[in-house]
Amino acid sequence: MARSTSKTMERSGARLSVVQALYEMEISDKGVIEALAEFEAFWIGREVEGIDHPPAEIAFFRDLLRGVVEEQRAIDPQIDGALAAGWSLKRIESVLRAILRAGTYELMFRRDVPARAAISEYVDVAHSFFSGEEPGLVNAVLDKVARDVRGEEFAGLPGSGKS
């Protein structure tokens, strides 16, 4: 049981680190290799500027970060389709954009992670950065994405259109 809890916490840490790395890459024009090296050497599981960065499952962190970058052409249109009419991913604040991209990658390409668990995890990540409506937006967008790409997990549930 303790191992499972530890792995869950390390995956949560990996998700948080991926969002931070994606944000860092966007504002600094760093590449994936540089971001991976920096986060693994200096951020993950360490205290930086008085902030504790949780331990992370490194293989999961690497897969998420590389996957979001490599699959961005498939991910971004999926998010755009889930956003409210008149909104596009380009108009979304950069940390929020990183959260949506990482969550959408996981929903589209990591079938080993249950959709509801992934959505919940990224809503938690959003709460780490935002105290307003943003976590609700993450929940709504990722729920829409999940129902589109993993409808079988939602069959028979309210809002699924199937009974």
Side-chain angles (χ1 to χ4, degrees):
M1 184 69 175
R3 175 68 187 124
S4 177
T5 302
S6 173
K7 182 173 180 166
T8 300
M9 290 176 66
E10 287 186 2
R11 283 205 161 185
S12 295
R15 289 177 178 102
L16 182 63
S17 293
V18 162
V19 167
Q20 292 169 318
L22 288 168
Y23 172 77
E24 178 74 19
M25 288 169 65
E26 185 172 322
I27 63 166
S28 68
D29 286 328
K30 288 182 182 166
V32 174
I33 304 289
E34 190 178 356
L36 285 169
E38 178 182 324
F39 270 76
E40 289 177 31
F42 303 111
W43 291 79
I44 294 173
R46 293 191 165 70
E47 182 183 320
V48 181
E49 297 174 8
I51 298 168
D52 284 325
H53 296 271
E57 182 184 324
I58 297 300
F60 191 64
F61 168 75
R62 289 175 180 167
D63 177 73
L64 293 178
L65 188 60
R66 283 188 181 125
V68 169
V69 173
E70 290 170 6
E71 300 293 347
Q72 192 169 328
R73 280 193 204 90
I75 292 168
D76 286 2
Q78 193 71 47
I79 297 169
D80 277 333
L83 287 167
W87 279 90
S88 71
L89 191 57
K90 292 176 191 157
R91 290 182 61 190
I92 302 286
E93 189 275 331
S94 54
V95 172
L96 198 52
R97 190 167 40 245
I99 294 168
L100 292 173
R101 282 179 172 151
T104 299
Y105 169 78
E106 209 166 322
L107 290 167
M108 292 176 72
F109 298 100
R110 290 297 305 241
R111 298 275 175 165
D112 58 312
V113 178
R116 285 177 205 77
I119 294 167
S120 176
E121 285 284 331
Y122 286 101
V123 169
D124 288 348
V125 169
H127 279 291
S128 298
F129 295 100
F130 303 103
S131 58
E133 297 177 357
E134 293 88 350
L137 174 72
V138 168
N139 186 56
V141 170
L142 293 182
D143 183 70
K144 232 174 175 178
V145 167
R147 288 174 190 275
D148 187 38
V149 301
R150 293 211 205 165
E152 71 281 358
E153 288 185 49
F154 294 88
L157 294 176
S160 67
K162 299 174 184 169
S163 49

